[in-house]
Amino acid sequence: MKPKLRVENVYKIFGDHPEQALEGLKQDKSKIEIFEETGQTVGVQDVSFDVREGEIFVVMGLSGSGKSTLVRTLNGLIPPTYGKILLDEDDVASCSAERLRKVRREKITMVFQHFALFPHKTVADNAAYGLKIKGEGAASRRKKALAALEQVGLAAYADSYPGELSGGMQQRVGLARGLATDPQVLLMDEPFGALDPLIRREMQEELLHLQKKLKKTIIFITHDLNEALLLGDKIAIMKDGRFVQVGTAQEIVDNPADDYVAAFVGDIDRGRVFDAAHVAERPITVELGEKGAAEKALELMEEHNRNALYVVDRDRIAGLVTYQELAVAAREEGRTDLSEVLVTDVPTVARETPLNELYGAASAGYPIAVADKRGRLSGVIETEAVFSQLSGEDNDAATAATNDAELSAKEGERQ
Amino acid sequence: MISPADLVQIPLDDWVNSFVRDFLVPNFRPFFRAMQTPVTAVLGWLDAFFHWLPMLVFTAGLTLIAWRTAGRGVAIFTLVALVFIDMIGLWSETMTTLSMIITSVLFCAIIGIPLGIWSARSDRVLFVVRPILDIMQTIPSFVYLVPIVMLFGVGMVPGIIATIIFALPPIIRLTNLGIRNVRADLIEAAEAFGSTRWQMLWEVQFPLALRTIMAGLNQTLMLALSMVVIAALIGAGGLGLTVYTGLGRLNVGAATAGGIGIVLLAIILDRITQSLGEKNAVRSPSLWQTLRSMMALGKSGDEEKAGKAA
């Protein structure tokens, strides 16, 4: 699939002699060295990425990492020094001012950190700004603005002024203004950065909720890794104007590219990043009606060293049997009918349930069933797997083990 | 003692004389004469209007305006002041001065606001405009009265032109300042939605700078008022002339009366324009909104009902 937005080798160098800075970058010099030697400030260096339609692409970095500069190159507010920014067939970096205006009016809008609402216009007129600029008539403008405000739950405030609203509400207006022209791409420059934590959380969830309906292509800038992990279909970590790592939330948390990323990832809530599917194992099951099911179940449990086993009835999850009960029933009482010892009240979760919502299910003491959308068993989660993923030490433990093995092997060689 | 003047003497006055007399006046007089046509037209119309308007109607009107914009106190002051001016027998002169002032301020705004906007949008323009404004503000007004008389003759209109030159700088400066002080993130937002330069000016910069621009207009108005006596030197009439003739004949009573008239007029105009500027920042849109909702009263009522029904 063709990406909606393709960024190719974008550089932004502030100063009169960008070629000097470029030369410095080729020699692997740092931003500071380049500034000291040439007086050029490197804002963004060699950034490339693709964003697919309907995807939320989050750029996360600390202040001064160039993320705000980068997002401004995407709609030409800051023209990049080198590189291409392809939005469909338009190259934002090199097209004419006329064309750029058209792109901004029709395809790409922006939501700002400090809201940037026009204080002299009503909420509805703020939301309708893009439409007015496009030259739409007053009636249709008002209608569309109200519809956009409706989406963010502020239709009742249409005739208030921004100064009369709280920060969270103001940013909703900012979002409504961005959505009113029905753009394909929405740039969000730390939109929730100026809000207090509770409101921020609320806005994040609302954005996700809206996105399910709207399916916009969103470039989201943030300095908050938790926010990035929550919202991003794909996340780029930016440092000194460069992308350090690009990947999904799970990829970044599981395999940080370097110490810088690892330091960030260190104290995030892993329970929110990983979902049930991530720790689920391929289910080992027996059919409810199968011949000799009980014996087979016992064998399987012994073979895989399990205490419980899921039983399926064609597509459905029928329940689970525990080794203990099944063994008692089969050996001592000679009964081989699974249905008599079947536990039907089994903990079941969806594939995308985050780990931090599995605790309740895990408390039953049974492995957790992971069901797909049609209710079929797609995996089983052993409770230990949840904890080892949460602790983030499963990989480390494994490496430690191999290291030990290698060490002893070497020692063996010496002897 | 030796001084540089013993070596070289510069006949600056002769140079200027010959420049103005032999070059500017013969070649450009028709041009300058043509320039005053619009001023003459506006002044003639305003002067005729104010002299036609009965005193009581004018007083009632201005009091009403003062009440709506600046509140009850200013309205009462306006009423009393205007009645007082009429009683000391200076009504006609006051109307002449008022039409002169309004004409000057109108032309100051017509010239000054666009120039202010232009210099706000281009550093190069500001670089040229700023020293000119400095000169205009520091040069004593008597100095340019002479060339004005030579180029435009004497009378009301040359007086107004001198007033325009004197009163123009604040409106340019404050328009420039107001536009430049519009928050950068708002400019960025306007740009991000694809505004053209005109749309940016009209939708964002001008409305947000309006308060500062109004302050500039107020300053211009005050400077124009302070010029009325000087303008009378070159033949402008009105209250300035009353003061000037009072001065010439050592008629301290007439001079005082004229002076009081000027001060009263100044206070009224100052209060009204100041409150216009202050209210503009917060109330102007809602005022517009009020007007609009008044126009569409029936409709919005229906909408409300529909909303309740839904």
Side-chain angles (χ1 to χ4, degrees), chain B residues 23-37:
Chain B
F23 175 72
L24 216 53
V25 173
N27 292 323
F28 289 95
R29 196 161 176 145
F31 171 73
F32 283 104
R33 287 284 156 133
M35 249 173 74
Q36 54 182 348
T37 319

Side-chain angles (χ1 to χ4, degrees), chain A residues 137-286:
Chain A
S140 93
R141 214 154 71 200
R142 171 108 185 150
K143 199 171 138 230
K144 287 183 183 175
L146 284 179
L149 287 170
E150 188 73 51
Q151 284 179 332
V152 298
L154 277 185
Y157 293 86
D159 295 318
S160 307
Y161 283 87
E164 297 162 14
L165 306 184
S166 69
M169 286 156 95
Q170 289 192 31
Q171 193 56 300
R172 282 166 204 259
V173 179
L175 187 58
R177 179 174 64 179
L179 293 173
T181 53
D182 195 23
Q184 298 154 9
V185 180
L186 191 60
L187 304 177
M188 304 184 82
D189 181 23
E190 293 198 51
F192 309 146
L195 304 176
D196 60 60
L198 271 180
I199 306 289
R200 191 182 313 159
R201 192 65 212 272
E202 203 180 296
M203 294 291 287
Q204 289 164 353
E205 264 153 30
E206 196 159 320
L207 179 66
L208 284 175
H209 183 73
L210 268 176
Q211 172 67 355
K212 268 187 199 152
K213 265 191 300 184
L214 299 174
K215 302 253 185 291
K216 301 283 178 203
T217 308
I218 298 179
I219 320 294
F220 191 101
I221 306 294
T222 180
H223 61 255
D224 176 357
L225 186 62
N226 272 314
E227 186 168 77
L229 297 172
L230 177 73
L231 299 176
D233 294 315
K234 242 187 192 172
I235 298 158
I237 311 270
M238 202 168 178
K239 188 197 173 199
D240 292 338
R242 197 193 316 245
F243 277 3
V244 185
Q245 186 173 9
V246 184
T248 64
Q250 300 183 359
E251 282 165 13
I252 285 176
V253 174
D254 247 0
N255 294 306
D258 62 9
D259 292 347
Y260 182 77
V261 182
F264 269 119
V265 169
D267 49 37
I268 59 109
D269 182 358
R270 299 172 71 92
R272 280 172 62 186
V273 176
F274 294 101
D275 56 18
H278 194 79
V279 290
E281 292 167 25
R282 215 163 48 79
I284 303 156
T285 56
V286 288

Side-chain angles (χ1 to χ4, degrees), chain A residues 325-344:
Chain A
E325 286 194 33
L326 191 58
V328 170
R331 296 206 177 128
E332 295 178 10
E333 295 169 26
R335 282 182 297 171
T336 52
D337 192 357
L338 280 183
S339 57
E340 288 187 19
V341 289
L342 199 63
V343 180
T344 49

Side-chain angles (χ1 to χ4, degrees), chain B:
Chain B
M1 284 295 283
I2 302 172
S3 79
D6 296 338
L7 300 170
V8 182
Q9 286 190 331
I10 300 174
L12 184 69
D13 47 353
D14 290 344
W15 292 352
V16 175
N17 271 336
S18 62
F19 171 72
V20 175
R21 278 189 201 148
D22 303 335
F23 175 72
L24 216 53
V25 173
N27 292 323
F28 289 95
R29 196 161 176 145
F31 171 73
F32 283 104
R33 287 284 156 133
M35 249 173 74
Q36 54 182 348
T37 319
V39 181
T40 315
V42 172
L43 177 72
W45 189 84
L46 273 175
D47 199 44
F49 175 72
F50 282 131
H51 279 99
W52 166 82
L53 206 63
M55 181 267 167
L56 288 178
V57 175
F58 178 87
T59 307
L62 197 62
T63 306
L64 187 71
I65 291 173
W67 180 53
R68 298 302 303 181
T69 56
R72 208 170 50 177
V74 178
I76 292 170
F77 178 85
T78 306
L79 182 67
V80 173
L82 289 176
V83 168
F84 181 74
I85 287 172
D86 190 50
M87 284 173 166
I88 60 174
L90 288 176
W91 187 258
S92 167
E93 283 82 356
T94 306
M95 287 304 105
T96 306
T97 297
L98 186 67
S99 45
M100 277 177 66
I101 298 298
I102 293 180
T103 310
S104 321
V105 171
L106 187 73
F107 280 95
C108 280
I110 290 173
I111 301 165
I113 294 177
L115 208 56
I117 291 171
W118 196 24
S119 41
R121 306 190 121 203
S122 152
D123 286 340
R124 219 175 287 171
V125 172
L126 184 67
F127 185 77
V128 176
V129 166
R130 190 142 57 180
I132 296 176
L133 293 181
D134 290 339
I135 293 170
M136 282 167 81
Q137 281 184 306
T138 45
I139 201 165
S141 40
F142 279 75
V143 173
Y144 47 80
L145 286 185
V146 183
I148 283 177
V149 171
M150 292 178 78
L151 290 168
F152 296 97
V154 291
M156 291 282 264
V157 174
I160 289 176
I161 287 171
T163 308
I164 292 173
I165 295 173
F166 183 73
L168 191 56
I171 184 105
I172 299 179
R173 278 186 200 277
L174 284 163
T175 302
N176 169 51
L177 185 73
I179 301 253
R180 279 179 187 260
N181 277 358
V182 172
R183 273 163 51 196
D185 62 332
L186 298 183
I187 302 292
E188 196 177 43
E191 210 180 325
F193 282 88
S195 311
T196 59
R197 280 168 74 83
W198 270 108
Q199 285 172 327
M200 174 105 71
L201 179 67
W202 200 241
E203 293 288 333
V204 181
Q205 289 175 310
F206 194 76
L208 288 173
L210 199 56
R211 195 179 179 164
T212 317
I213 294 174
M214 287 305 287
L217 200 68
N218 173 270
Q219 289 300 303
T220 290
L221 182 72
M222 293 296 104
L223 285 183
L225 266 165
S226 71
M227 262 302 268
V228 291
V229 178
I230 294 169
L233 293 180
I234 56 169
L239 292 169
L241 189 63
T242 309
V243 176
Y244 180 52
T245 41
L247 185 72
R249 295 174 191 165
L250 289 182
N251 184 346
V252 69
T256 309
I260 289 175
I262 293 171
V263 169
L264 290 178
L265 194 60
I267 294 175
I268 295 171
L269 293 177
D270 177 54
R271 293 303 131 138
I272 291 176
T273 50
Q274 252 186 35
S275 58
L276 269 179
E278 272 157 30
K279 290 208 172 143
N280 249 314
V282 280
R283 249 192 54 184
S284 140
S286 62
L287 197 72
W288 168 236
Q289 208 100 46
T290 325
L291 286 174
R292 214 167 46 178
S293 67
M294 271 160 72
M295 300 283 187
L297 201 62
K299 210 178 105 195
S300 70
D302 288 347
E303 269 173 16
E304 262 177 33
K305 273 179 212 157
K308 271 177 196 158

